[in-house]
Amino acid sequence: ALAGSAVGYAMDGLDLLILGSMLSAISADLNLTPGQAGSLVTWTLIGAVIGGFFFGAMSDRYGRIRVLTWTIVLFAVFTGLCAFAQGYWDLLVYRTIAGIGLGGEFGIGMALAAEAWPARHRARVSSYVALGWQVGVLAAALLTPLLLPMIGWRGMFLVGVIPALVAWVIRNKLHEPEVFVRKQRVKAPRFHALKLLMRDKATTRVSIGMIVLTSVQNFGYYGIMIWMPSFLSKQLGFNLTKSSLWTAVTVLGMMAGIWIFGQLADRIGRKPSFLIFQLGSVVMLLAYSQLSDPTAMLWAGALLGLFVNGMMGGYGAVMSEAYPTEARATAQNVLFNIGRAIGGLGPIVVGAVAMAYSFQVAIALLAAIYVLDMIATALLIPELKGQELQ
């Protein structure tokens, strides 16, 4: 269950980073405008949000394994079709539908892993699934420069199908978790899972809290990762090799942070772990905004990544524990994708502030949203360590 979920999430990270790296090659071959090229990423993310909402609810109704298999097949078929696109419009349609397939991966995989493992390991298992995304990003960063010149963007889309096939093979050997099978004996009405996200005041508070936490997570992640390489290049004279090195070091820091968070949350609890990492994010962002030495910024990027993205290791566990089985995957996908949609504004806001003032000011202002994160955690998120799933 863990392997199938992690590979599926790695597919998500691999796909999006490969697409970003190939936009210039696709544009040159298909004569796309910059707006058309950018819309390929935008509509992939829109598809992912739609898929997250739809497949999360389907999974809570019809089963984790069955629906995950549907998402994999949808993604694999339409990613493969991208390799044969003849122009902008057919490629846009293929990318959007592939995105819909991708959208179900995070929440359903998190729910599956959480239901398959005992409570004492739940945060660690959630962090291992979250690590899948970073492994996919790292694989894309390493593979794209090597393979793109040899096989072109069409060949790269075919490479993107490989993780989908691996995940499909793994999932064919899985069965539904026992906690899900027990609940399935009573078939819930349609849209019942969505209603359960706001079933009472306590659950509504958790839902609002998780939207705040996932929005800050995505806002900070995209705001930093989209703009930082450009800033390092233009302001500090980093060449492509140094900018790539910064990205690699920061991603490794993020991976370490996710792993550490999972270990910590299973030992001292989810809530204190969130507060420690949120405070670390505030401190590191403020410190980072004061740095100007290229070497210091390179290595401080690892610590920045550790705190800013380490919390990805905890959302899956908290949402698994806060919602009943008949709404677990829906909660994971709906709440995280709302956060992804809001967080997607990060690059726009950071870019606007950097243009009006400076990039240092933009980074320092990002620290303020992690203070909001701490307030939301303290007031809205319950401590659920060790709790058996509902």
Side-chain angles (χ1 to χ4, degrees), residues 18-339:
I18 282 180
L19 177 62
S21 305
M22 298 192 305
L23 286 180
S24 58
I26 295 171
S27 299
D29 198 20
L30 299 181
N31 297 314
L32 305 185
T33 66
Q36 288 175 325
S39 70
L40 294 175
V41 177
T42 302
W43 278 95
T44 300
L45 291 173
I46 290 171
V49 171
I50 294 168
F53 278 58
F54 177 73
F55 284 120
M58 291 287 283
S59 163
D60 282 328
R61 188 172 176 82
Y62 296 109
R64 314 297 187 217
I65 309 303
R66 184 190 303 180
V67 177
L68 272 170
T69 303
W70 295 346
T71 67
I72 286 289
V73 170
L74 194 65
F75 170 81
V77 168
F78 282 90
T79 296
L81 285 173
C82 288
F84 303 98
Q86 298 302 303
Y88 169 68
W89 289 107
D90 60 337
L91 181 56
L92 185 71
V93 170
Y94 299 151
R95 284 305 309 166
T96 304
I97 299 176
I100 291 172
L102 271 183
E105 286 299 316
F106 174 81
I108 305 173
M110 281 292 188
L112 173 63
E115 289 169 351
W117 284 69
R120 67 183 183 277
H121 295 304
R122 195 171 294 130
R124 271 171 279 195
V125 169
S126 296
S127 74
Y128 300 152
V129 175
L131 274 172
W133 167 279
Q134 300 297 347
V135 171
V137 167
L138 206 56
L142 295 172
L143 289 175
T144 304
L146 293 174
L147 294 181
L148 185 58
M150 291 191 294
I151 62 177
W153 64 269
R154 296 183 187 275
M156 291 301 293
F157 275 125
L158 295 177
V159 169
V161 176
I162 294 172
L165 296 176
V166 173
W168 186 80
V169 169
I170 292 171
R171 284 164 187 172
N172 268 345
K173 300 182 182 300
L174 297 177
H175 57 79
E176 296 292 346
E178 181 58 34
V179 65
F180 179 82
V181 173
R182 286 199 306 269
K183 290 286 184 178
Q184 272 296 94
R185 289 168 189 156
V186 179
K187 186 70 77 175
R190 292 183 186 278
F191 305 114
H192 179 64
L194 279 171
K195 293 177 184 176
L196 288 176
L197 304 190
M198 303 284 180
R199 62 178 170 170
D200 52 41
K201 286 184 179 179
T203 309
T204 301
R205 277 173 46 210
V206 178
S207 296
I208 293 169
M210 290 312 303
I211 288 171
V212 173
L213 264 63
T214 55
S215 296
V216 170
Q217 171 71 43
N218 284 285
F219 194 100
Y221 177 82
Y222 289 116
I224 291 168
M225 293 304 289
I226 296 297
W227 281 108
M228 189 65 80
S230 172
F231 168 75
L232 294 172
S233 172
K234 291 177 181 176
Q235 303 295 321
L236 297 179
F238 273 37
N239 57 26
L240 184 61
T241 302
K242 268 197 171 181
S243 292
S244 299
L245 183 60
W246 180 88
T247 302
V249 167
T250 304
V251 169
L252 287 171
M254 290 176 172
M255 293 175 73
I258 291 170
W259 184 84
I260 292 168
F261 190 100
Q263 303 295 316
L264 198 63
D266 272 338
R267 287 170 169 79
I268 68 170
R270 286 68 166 126
K271 197 163 180 169
S273 299
F274 274 120
L275 290 170
I276 289 168
F277 272 68
Q278 288 156 355
L279 179 60
S281 298
V282 173
V283 171
M284 280 308 304
L285 281 162
L286 290 174
Y288 208 80
S289 69
Q290 304 302 310
L291 295 176
S292 57
D293 177 66
T295 305
M297 291 191 79
L298 182 69
W299 296 111
L303 268 180
L304 179 68
L306 186 149
F307 285 109
V308 167
N309 207 50
M311 290 170 283
M312 271 298 297
Y315 303 125
V318 171
M319 287 189 280
S320 293
E321 293 159 344
Y323 301 94
T325 299
E326 56 266 39
R328 185 164 296 120
T330 299
Q332 300 270 8
N333 268 349
V334 168
L335 300 178
F336 187 79
N337 276 301
I338 290 174

